[in-house]
mmCIF file of all heavy atoms in Angstrom:
data_model
loop_
_atom_site.group_PDB
_atom_site.id
_atom_site.type_symbol
_atom_site.label_atom_id
_atom_site.label_comp_id
_atom_site.label_asym_id
_atom_site.label_seq_id
_atom_site.Cartn_x
_atom_site.Cartn_y
_atom_site.Cartn_z
ATOM 1 N N SER A 1 93.666 135.207 67.192
ATOM 2 C CA SER A 1 93.422 135.424 65.773
ATOM 3 C C SER A 1 92.258 136.385 65.551
ATOM 4 O O SER A 1 92.251 137.138 64.568
ATOM 5 C CB SER A 1 93.150 134.101 65.063
ATOM 6 O OG SER A 1 92.014 133.447 65.600
ATOM 7 N N GLU A 2 91.296 136.386 66.465
ATOM 8 C CA GLU A 2 90.152 137.275 66.365
ATOM 9 C C GLU A 2 90.523 138.747 66.514
ATOM 10 O O GLU A 2 89.717 139.622 66.201
ATOM 11 C CB GLU A 2 89.097 136.928 67.424
ATOM 12 C CG GLU A 2 88.627 135.487 67.390
ATOM 13 C CD GLU A 2 89.401 134.601 68.344
ATOM 14 O OE1 GLU A 2 90.516 134.175 67.971
ATOM 15 O OE2 GLU A 2 88.903 134.341 69.461
ATOM 16 N N ASP A 3 91.732 139.026 66.998
ATOM 17 C CA ASP A 3 92.186 140.402 67.140
ATOM 18 C C ASP A 3 92.728 140.972 65.841
ATOM 19 O O ASP A 3 93.049 142.161 65.776
ATOM 20 C CB ASP A 3 93.266 140.493 68.216
ATOM 21 C CG ASP A 3 92.760 140.111 69.597
ATOM 22 O OD1 ASP A 3 91.644 140.523 69.960
ATOM 23 O OD2 ASP A 3 93.486 139.396 70.313
ATOM 24 N N THR A 4 92.852 140.145 64.824
ATOM 25 C CA THR A 4 93.359 140.602 63.536
ATOM 26 C C THR A 4 92.439 141.661 62.948
ATOM 27 O O THR A 4 91.245 141.426 62.765
ATOM 28 C CB THR A 4 93.497 139.434 62.559
ATOM 29 O OG1 THR A 4 94.476 138.514 63.050
ATOM 30 C CG2 THR A 4 93.933 139.920 61.181
ATOM 31 N N ALA A 5 92.990 142.830 62.668
ATOM 32 C CA ALA A 5 92.198 143.939 62.154
ATOM 33 C C ALA A 5 93.112 145.121 61.869
ATOM 34 O O ALA A 5 94.284 145.136 62.248
ATOM 35 C CB ALA A 5 91.117 144.354 63.155
ATOM 36 N N LEU A 6 92.551 146.108 61.213
ATOM 37 C CA LEU A 6 93.197 147.398 61.080
ATOM 38 C C LEU A 6 92.794 148.222 62.303
ATOM 39 O O LEU A 6 91.605 148.435 62.545
ATOM 40 C CB LEU A 6 92.763 148.095 59.792
ATOM 41 C CG LEU A 6 93.474 149.396 59.429
ATOM 42 C CD1 LEU A 6 94.950 149.139 59.163
ATOM 43 C CD2 LEU A 6 92.821 150.031 58.208
ATOM 44 N N TYR A 7 93.776 148.655 63.061
ATOM 45 C CA TYR A 7 93.521 149.377 64.303
ATOM 46 C C TYR A 7 93.653 150.875 64.076
ATOM 47 O O TYR A 7 94.663 151.351 63.553
ATOM 48 C CB TYR A 7 94.487 148.924 65.399
ATOM 49 C CG TYR A 7 94.097 147.609 66.011
ATOM 50 C CD1 TYR A 7 94.206 146.427 65.291
ATOM 51 C CD2 TYR A 7 93.596 147.541 67.311
ATOM 52 C CE1 TYR A 7 93.828 145.215 65.846
ATOM 53 C CE2 TYR A 7 93.222 146.337 67.874
ATOM 54 C CZ TYR A 7 93.342 145.180 67.132
ATOM 55 O OH TYR A 7 92.970 143.979 67.693
ATOM 56 N N TYR A 8 92.627 151.606 64.491
ATOM 57 C CA TYR A 8 92.577 153.043 64.319
ATOM 58 C C TYR A 8 92.652 153.757 65.657
ATOM 59 O O TYR A 8 92.013 153.342 66.626
ATOM 60 C CB TYR A 8 91.276 153.472 63.636
ATOM 61 C CG TYR A 8 91.114 153.007 62.214
ATOM 62 C CD1 TYR A 8 90.452 151.828 61.927
ATOM 63 C CD2 TYR A 8 91.603 153.773 61.163
ATOM 64 C CE1 TYR A 8 90.279 151.403 60.622
ATOM 65 C CE2 TYR A 8 91.431 153.358 59.854
ATOM 66 C CZ TYR A 8 90.773 152.175 59.591
ATOM 67 O OH TYR A 8 90.602 151.762 58.290
ATOM 68 N N CYS A 9 93.393 154.833 65.690
ATOM 69 C CA CYS A 9 93.393 155.751 66.812
ATOM 70 C C CYS A 9 92.414 156.877 66.514
ATOM 71 O O CYS A 9 92.288 157.313 65.367
ATOM 72 C CB CYS A 9 94.800 156.308 67.025
ATOM 73 S SG CYS A 9 94.942 157.527 68.346
ATOM 74 N N ALA A 10 91.719 157.343 67.532
ATOM 75 C CA ALA A 10 90.745 158.409 67.360
ATOM 76 C C ALA A 10 90.789 159.353 68.552
ATOM 77 O O ALA A 10 91.223 158.975 69.641
ATOM 78 C CB ALA A 10 89.338 157.836 67.191
ATOM 79 N N ALA A 11 90.316 160.575 68.346
ATOM 80 C CA ALA A 11 90.294 161.580 69.400
ATOM 81 C C ALA A 11 88.980 162.339 69.394
ATOM 82 O O ALA A 11 88.367 162.545 68.346
ATOM 83 C CB ALA A 11 91.463 162.554 69.238
ATOM 84 N N ARG A 12 88.561 162.750 70.582
ATOM 85 C CA ARG A 12 87.374 163.558 70.740
ATOM 86 C C ARG A 12 87.566 164.497 71.917
ATOM 87 O O ARG A 12 88.268 164.153 72.880
ATOM 88 C CB ARG A 12 86.131 162.694 70.974
ATOM 89 C CG ARG A 12 86.220 161.810 72.220
ATOM 90 C CD ARG A 12 85.010 160.904 72.358
ATOM 91 N NE ARG A 12 83.830 161.644 72.751
ATOM 92 C CZ ARG A 12 83.416 161.807 74.008
ATOM 93 N NH1 ARG A 12 84.101 161.258 75.011
ATOM 94 N NH2 ARG A 12 82.318 162.502 74.255
ATOM 95 N N PHE A 13 86.961 165.652 71.844
ATOM 96 C CA PHE A 13 86.994 166.554 72.983
ATOM 97 C C PHE A 13 86.069 166.025 74.064
ATOM 98 O O PHE A 13 84.931 165.632 73.796
ATOM 99 C CB PHE A 13 86.584 167.961 72.566
ATOM 100 C CG PHE A 13 87.586 168.631 71.680
ATOM 101 C CD1 PHE A 13 87.316 168.843 70.341
ATOM 102 C CD2 PHE A 13 88.806 169.041 72.191
ATOM 103 C CE1 PHE A 13 88.241 169.462 69.522
ATOM 104 C CE2 PHE A 13 89.744 169.652 71.381
ATOM 105 C CZ PHE A 13 89.465 169.864 70.043
ATOM 106 N N ALA A 14 86.574 166.015 75.286
ATOM 107 C CA ALA A 14 85.806 165.503 76.410
ATOM 108 C C ALA A 14 86.382 166.041 77.705
ATOM 109 O O ALA A 14 87.596 166.204 77.832
ATOM 110 C CB ALA A 14 85.834 163.977 76.430
ATOM 111 N N TYR A 15 85.509 166.304 78.644
ATOM 112 C CA TYR A 15 85.969 166.773 79.945
ATOM 113 C C TYR A 15 86.132 165.612 80.920
ATOM 114 O O TYR A 15 87.171 165.444 81.537
ATOM 115 C CB TYR A 15 85.000 167.827 80.496
ATOM 116 C CG TYR A 15 85.074 169.123 79.744
ATOM 117 C CD1 TYR A 15 84.208 169.393 78.689
ATOM 118 C CD2 TYR A 15 86.026 170.077 80.073
ATOM 119 C CE1 TYR A 15 84.289 170.576 77.981
ATOM 120 C CE2 TYR A 15 86.115 171.268 79.379
ATOM 121 C CZ TYR A 15 85.240 171.512 78.330
ATOM 122 O OH TYR A 15 85.337 172.701 77.637
ATOM 123 N N ASN A 16 85.094 164.810 81.043
ATOM 124 C CA ASN A 16 85.166 163.661 81.932
ATOM 125 C C ASN A 16 84.127 162.620 81.528
ATOM 126 O O ASN A 16 83.488 162.009 82.381
ATOM 127 C CB ASN A 16 84.967 164.078 83.390
ATOM 128 C CG ASN A 16 85.430 163.020 84.365
ATOM 129 O OD1 ASN A 16 86.338 162.240 84.084
ATOM 130 N ND2 ASN A 16 84.810 162.988 85.541
ATOM 131 N N SER A 17 83.982 162.416 80.241
ATOM 132 C CA SER A 17 82.984 161.481 79.753
ATOM 133 C C SER A 17 83.612 160.432 78.856
ATOM 134 O O SER A 17 84.594 160.691 78.152
ATOM 135 C CB SER A 17 81.868 162.211 79.001
ATOM 136 O OG SER A 17 82.372 162.868 77.852
ATOM 137 N N ILE A 18 83.023 159.249 78.880
ATOM 138 C CA ILE A 18 83.479 158.118 78.084
ATOM 139 C C ILE A 18 82.498 157.881 76.939
ATOM 140 O O ILE A 18 81.286 157.957 77.113
ATOM 141 C CB ILE A 18 83.573 156.844 78.943
ATOM 142 C CG1 ILE A 18 84.727 156.947 79.942
ATOM 143 C CG2 ILE A 18 83.712 155.603 78.077
ATOM 144 C CD1 ILE A 18 86.089 156.791 79.316
ATOM 145 N N SER A 19 83.032 157.592 75.754
ATOM 146 C CA SER A 19 82.199 157.200 74.636
ATOM 147 C C SER A 19 82.816 156.012 73.924
ATOM 148 O O SER A 19 84.028 155.981 73.683
ATOM 149 C CB SER A 19 82.002 158.341 73.650
ATOM 150 O OG SER A 19 81.210 157.919 72.554
ATOM 151 N N THR A 20 81.974 155.036 73.582
ATOM 152 C CA THR A 20 82.406 153.875 72.815
ATOM 153 C C THR A 20 81.926 153.943 71.374
ATOM 154 O O THR A 20 82.135 152.999 70.608
ATOM 155 C CB THR A 20 81.898 152.583 73.458
ATOM 156 O OG1 THR A 20 80.461 152.575 73.456
ATOM 157 C CG2 THR A 20 82.380 152.468 74.902
ATOM 158 N N SER A 21 81.303 155.037 70.999
ATOM 159 C CA SER A 21 80.738 155.200 69.668
ATOM 160 C C SER A 21 81.744 155.863 68.738
ATOM 161 O O SER A 21 82.271 156.930 69.043
ATOM 162 C CB SER A 21 79.461 156.032 69.737
ATOM 163 O OG SER A 21 78.973 156.327 68.445
ATOM 164 N N SER A 22 81.985 155.243 67.594
ATOM 165 C CA SER A 22 82.914 155.821 66.631
ATOM 166 C C SER A 22 82.450 157.183 66.147
ATOM 167 O O SER A 22 83.266 158.053 65.837
ATOM 168 C CB SER A 22 83.111 154.875 65.446
ATOM 169 O OG SER A 22 81.891 154.645 64.762
ATOM 170 N N GLY A 23 81.141 157.394 66.108
ATOM 171 C CA GLY A 23 80.593 158.655 65.650
ATOM 172 C C GLY A 23 80.899 159.820 66.566
ATOM 173 O O GLY A 23 80.783 160.980 66.151
ATOM 174 N N ALA A 24 81.278 159.548 67.800
ATOM 175 C CA ALA A 24 81.588 160.599 68.754
ATOM 176 C C ALA A 24 83.005 161.137 68.597
ATOM 177 O O ALA A 24 83.327 162.172 69.177
ATOM 178 C CB ALA A 24 81.377 160.096 70.174
ATOM 179 N N TYR A 25 83.824 160.446 67.843
ATOM 180 C CA TYR A 25 85.221 160.825 67.692
ATOM 181 C C TYR A 25 85.421 161.608 66.400
ATOM 182 O O TYR A 25 85.095 161.122 65.313
ATOM 183 C CB TYR A 25 86.114 159.584 67.727
ATOM 184 C CG TYR A 25 86.136 158.935 69.087
ATOM 185 C CD1 TYR A 25 85.093 158.128 69.508
ATOM 186 C CD2 TYR A 25 87.202 159.154 69.958
ATOM 187 C CE1 TYR A 25 85.093 157.555 70.769
ATOM 188 C CE2 TYR A 25 87.220 158.575 71.216
ATOM 189 C CZ TYR A 25 86.158 157.776 71.614
ATOM 190 O OH TYR A 25 86.181 157.207 72.867
ATOM 191 N N ALA A 26 85.954 162.797 66.534
ATOM 192 C CA ALA A 26 86.055 163.710 65.407
ATOM 193 C C ALA A 26 87.311 163.518 64.568
ATOM 194 O O ALA A 26 87.324 163.858 63.379
ATOM 195 C CB ALA A 26 85.999 165.154 65.904
ATOM 196 N N TYR A 27 88.355 162.981 65.163
ATOM 197 C CA TYR A 27 89.641 162.868 64.483
ATOM 198 C C TYR A 27 90.115 161.429 64.464
ATOM 199 O O TYR A 27 90.009 160.710 65.456
ATOM 200 C CB TYR A 27 90.681 163.759 65.166
ATOM 201 C CG TYR A 27 90.227 165.190 65.310
ATOM 202 C CD1 TYR A 27 89.753 165.664 66.522
ATOM 203 C CD2 TYR A 27 90.259 166.050 64.216
ATOM 204 C CE1 TYR A 27 89.319 166.973 66.647
ATOM 205 C CE2 TYR A 27 89.826 167.359 64.339
ATOM 206 C CZ TYR A 27 89.359 167.817 65.554
ATOM 207 O OH TYR A 27 88.925 169.114 65.682
ATOM 208 N N TRP A 28 90.656 161.025 63.329
ATOM 209 C CA TRP A 28 91.057 159.636 63.123
ATOM 210 C C TRP A 28 92.414 159.538 62.445
ATOM 211 O O TRP A 28 92.760 160.353 61.586
ATOM 212 C CB TRP A 28 90.026 158.906 62.259
ATOM 213 C CG TRP A 28 88.710 158.743 62.930
ATOM 214 C CD1 TRP A 28 87.714 159.666 63.023
ATOM 215 C CD2 TRP A 28 88.252 157.577 63.616
ATOM 216 N NE1 TRP A 28 86.653 159.145 63.736
ATOM 217 C CE2 TRP A 28 86.954 157.874 64.101
ATOM 218 C CE3 TRP A 28 88.803 156.324 63.863
ATOM 219 C CZ2 TRP A 28 86.206 156.943 64.829
ATOM 220 C CZ3 TRP A 28 88.068 155.402 64.577
ATOM 221 C CH2 TRP A 28 86.776 155.717 65.056
ATOM 222 N N GLY A 29 93.167 158.522 62.840
ATOM 223 C CA GLY A 29 94.399 158.213 62.153
ATOM 224 C C GLY A 29 94.144 157.334 60.948
ATOM 225 O O GLY A 29 93.007 156.967 60.634
ATOM 226 N N GLN A 30 95.218 156.992 60.250
ATOM 227 C CA GLN A 30 95.113 156.180 59.044
ATOM 228 C C GLN A 30 94.999 154.690 59.326
ATOM 229 O O GLN A 30 94.583 153.927 58.459
ATOM 230 C CB GLN A 30 96.319 156.426 58.132
ATOM 231 C CG GLN A 30 96.375 157.821 57.530
ATOM 232 C CD GLN A 30 95.322 158.021 56.466
ATOM 233 O OE1 GLN A 30 94.191 158.404 56.749
ATOM 234 N NE2 GLN A 30 95.688 157.761 55.228
ATOM 235 N N GLY A 31 95.358 154.282 60.515
ATOM 236 C CA GLY A 31 95.267 152.892 60.897
ATOM 237 C C GLY A 31 96.595 152.170 60.805
ATOM 238 O O GLY A 31 97.457 152.527 60.011
ATOM 239 N N THR A 32 96.741 151.146 61.623
ATOM 240 C CA THR A 32 97.908 150.285 61.579
ATOM 241 C C THR A 32 97.435 148.838 61.653
ATOM 242 O O THR A 32 96.576 148.490 62.457
ATOM 243 C CB THR A 32 98.900 150.621 62.718
ATOM 244 O OG1 THR A 32 100.085 149.825 62.581
ATOM 245 C CG2 THR A 32 98.290 150.389 64.091
#
């Protein structure tokens, strides 16, 4: 039940780095 949420897809340019920050992602979907 804790997984209930609006889920968003996001994209960022990256060569070989990981980011968990929403601010690092430049493009976003509308959510499902």
Side-chain angles (χ1 to χ4, degrees):
S1 60
E2 305 94 279
D3 297 318
T4 296
L6 187 64
Y7 282 70
Y8 294 93
C9 177
R12 60 184 288 266
F13 291 109
Y15 289 94
N16 197 29
S17 63
I18 290 286
S19 179
T20 62
S21 174
S22 61
Y25 292 79
Y27 307 101
W28 293 82
Q30 293 288 87
T32 185

